[in-house]
Amino acid sequence: MTTRRKFIRQTLTAGAGLLAAPSIVPASVLGKHAPSNRIHIGAIGTGRISRDHDLPGVWKDDGVRIIAVCDLDAGRVAEGRQYVEAYYAKKLGSSCFGVTAYADYHDLLARKDIDAVLISTPDHWHARNAIDAVRAGKHVYLQKPASLTIAEGRRMSDAVNASGKVLQIGSQQRSMEQFRVACELVRNGRVGQLKEIEIRLPGDPPGGSPKEMPVPEGFNYDAWLGPTPYVPYTVDRVHPQKGYGRPGWLRCEQFGAGMITGWGAHHFDIAHWAMDREYSGPVEIAGRAEFPAPGSGLWDVHGYYETEMRYDNGVIVRGTTESAEKPNGVLFTGTDGWIFVSRGAYAASSDEPVSTRSNALRASDVKLLSPLGDDAIRLQVSTDHHLDWLESIRTGRKNITPAEVAHRSCTACLLQHIAMKLNRRLYWDAVSEHFRNDDEANAMIARPHRPPYQF
């Protein structure tokens, strides 16, 4: 491991001259927020979602300074450093603010002056990055989904809870007013007795070239693969070498489960919130999906899918692929009507793969959406997901999507993925987090890790 880190550092230093100490900025330049009260942040992963969503989400807070960035791609980390420095040069009216670039996230975590990290890496690194971060004493904003497997998610949540640090999962729909209002209306019985929730997600088409290519100079591909099996490099398996378009790894089962976790982590989290099942899970799961035929390309995540989960309260949660007739979002149906909620026009990134949008909040009868009374059940309010995380760090109050909630939402998605693969009904114990009397399904709770990237 030491040799690997040394090699990465040498590669970055020789290739781009990136390692430089951050400058000290006078308090008069930084404004009213005293340096002693400032939250210093490092960004692990500087790709599309980091640039479009996570970095802008935190640097708008005047009490924050992003002082370090890290990526396994030397070109991307150099651009990430320039991106952050350019923002602060414009904001502060000074070019003296420096950002340190790292090729190995362990070196970033070793810095005592970093209080918190943004983790915007591919899905197969999420849990491991988060565990290492909280063990290093850092607060964490973690892009969803929480983990590649259910077993990794359990380890992540346990490590966060043992550390006392704040982890916020990037399920930003909890900080959008329409989703909170919809969940409050459902909890207060506006649709009568809740019977069914339908989750509508985008799909992913097959494609991608599996043809082996030379690993680009300055990219540590072995570390990028991390705990997953070794496979030859091809750009469609990783990310574009120029620009920040949607990466190919999102469509490879080696690194994630596809849209069932990619978008499902958002919508199934909302279903849990509305049902008051944030710390539990389904008891019964069934599913089927269309997977790309052999020879159709590199990308092998599910396309069209249908799933069904039953919870201990009797509610059936169905999942399906969105369509013109069934636009992306969450539909709550009860004995007295229905409420539908979606993001409306909001997009987290410039090329977000959602094809069908609709009004953010609507119902079978507009009266179902009328304001609740003073004695109604109310849910935690957050108007900005990144700022909610920062306030939780400052005040010690509970944040809106902590580690265990993140793990349970991701688990619901991964259970459906396992059901899709096995194409049969499964029975889940949400307490022990194991399938009942099903060795084949239980074997899919975890995956083996490639040395030297084991837990």
Side-chain angles (χ1 to χ4, degrees):
M1 183 68 76
T2 302
T3 302
R4 180 176 64 85
R5 293 184 199 166
K6 182 178 179 181
F7 168 78
I8 301 169
R9 285 196 294 268
Q10 289 174 342
T11 300
L12 266 183
T13 306
L18 295 175
L19 298 178
S23 305
I24 298 174
V25 185
S28 59
V29 175
L30 296 174
K32 65 180 181 178
H33 294 275
S36 60
N37 297 327
R38 192 165 297 123
I39 299 174
H40 289 149
I41 290 179
I44 301 174
T46 59
R48 176 188 67 136
I49 200 69
S50 177
R51 295 172 67 92
D52 286 359
H53 190 61
D54 290 334
L55 290 170
V58 299
W59 69 26
K60 64 190 176 188
D61 186 302
D62 290 336
V64 162
R65 290 295 178 268
I66 300 166
I67 64 173
V69 294
C70 176
D71 202 283
L72 293 168
D73 186 317
R76 284 194 162 197
V77 77
E79 291 177 1
R81 177 186 180 186
Q82 293 163 3
Y83 185 53
V84 176
E85 288 183 340
Y87 171 80
Y88 282 124
K90 182 177 180 180
K91 179 175 183 176
L92 305 175
S94 169
S95 61
C96 65
F97 186 84
V99 175
T100 308
Y102 293 96
D104 189 323
Y105 77 95
H106 297 93
D107 296 328
L108 183 151
L109 293 179
R111 283 184 53 169
K112 301 300 183 185
D113 59 340
I114 290 179
D115 307 300
V117 293
L118 298 169
I119 297 175
S120 313
T121 55
D123 296 1
H124 63 289
W125 268 107
H126 283 183
R128 181 58 181 266
N129 289 155
I131 290 169
D132 287 344
V134 296
R135 287 179 176 170
K138 317 302 182 188
H139 302 286
V140 173
Y141 187 99
L142 178 65
Q143 262 305 321
K144 54 77 206 163
S147 60
L148 181 65
T149 68
I150 294 170
E152 288 181 8
R154 169 47 55 211
R155 294 183 73 137
M156 181 277 293
S157 182
D158 289 349
V160 173
N161 291 329
S163 73
K165 296 300 175 181
V166 179
L167 182 142
Q168 180 93 301
I169 196 72
S171 295
Q172 69 268 18
Q173 289 181 173
R174 287 222 179 190
S175 296
M176 298 178 187
E177 183 179 19
Q178 70 268 30
F179 286 99
R180 174 178 51 81
V181 168
C183 291
E184 287 180 340
L185 292 169
V186 171
R187 284 215 193 183
N188 282 279
R190 280 295 175 83
V191 297
Q193 183 181 354
L194 182 63
K195 292 292 188 180
E196 183 177 298
I197 304 174
E198 185 173 75
I199 307 292
R200 302 158 179 179
L201 306 177
D204 261 321
S209 172
K211 184 178 180 180
E212 183 174 359
M213 301 169 63
V215 177
E217 185 177 354
F219 178 48
N220 189 347
Y221 179 57
D222 186 80
W224 185 90
L225 287 173
T228 72
Y230 180 82
V231 286
Y233 172 84
T234 178
V235 69
D236 285 348
R237 180 174 277 126
V238 188
H239 55 250
Q241 282 302 299
K242 292 184 179 180
Y244 291 88
R246 189 164 183 251
W249 63 260
L250 283 166
R251 289 163 275 192
C252 297
E253 282 202 328
Q254 179 168 342
F255 313 117
M259 283 297 183
I260 195 64
T261 52
W263 258 85
H266 292 297
H267 285 349
F268 288 99
D269 176 60
I270 296 302
H272 282 186
W273 205 18
M275 287 193 293
D276 194 15
R277 291 298 184 273
E278 301 164 86
Y279 295 91
S280 181
V283 296
E284 208 173 308
I285 313 100
R288 68 179 186 88
E290 295 175 0
F291 290 91
S296 59
L298 175 71
W299 299 329
D300 58 358
V301 296
H302 72 88
Y304 181 84
Y305 86 104
E306 290 181 346
T307 58
E308 178 183 297
M309 297 189 292
R310 183 175 63 83
Y311 282 72
D312 62 355
N313 57 1
V315 175
I316 300 297
V317 179
R318 301 186 191 280
T320 190
T321 304
E322 66 177 37
S323 66
E325 295 75 28
K326 293 187 173 185
N328 185 295
V330 184
L331 175 68
F332 301 98
T333 302
T335 54
D336 294 343
W338 57 262
I339 291 174
F340 177 79
V341 63
S342 75
R343 292 188 182 184
Y346 170 86
S349 62
S350 57
D351 60 351
E352 190 171 277
V354 53
S355 57
T356 53
R357 298 190 183 276
S358 62
N359 295 333
L361 185 64
R362 52 197 177 92
S364 55
D365 186 332
V366 70
K367 293 178 182 178
L368 299 182
L369 304 180
S370 60
L372 293 164
D374 294 339
D375 59 346
I377 297 168
R378 299 291 183 177
L379 299 173
Q380 183 173 341
V381 176
S382 166
T383 58
D384 187 295
H385 211 59
H386 290 94
L387 299 188
D388 177 80
W389 173 59
L390 296 173
E391 271 312 292
S392 296
I393 294 172
R394 292 185 176 112
T395 65
R397 66 159 173 76
K398 182 181 176 183
N399 57 306
I400 198 164
T401 50
E404 184 65 17
V405 169
H407 167 59
R408 295 293 183 166
S409 298
C410 185
T411 294
C413 300
L414 291 169
L415 290 172
Q416 292 170 87
H417 184 249
I418 294 172
M420 290 177 195
K421 302 297 285 187
L422 296 178
N423 197 26
R424 57 183 169 80
R425 191 166 294 274
L426 306 171
Y427 301 90
W428 180 248
D429 185 331
V431 176
S432 68
E433 294 187 288
H434 279 81
F435 293 99
R436 299 183 187 275
N437 304 316
D438 197 323
D439 292 341
E440 185 181 17
N442 281 323
M444 301 173 73
I445 291 173
R447 297 190 195 183
H449 292 159
R450 183 172 67 99
Y453 302 98
Q454 308 98 316
F455 277 105

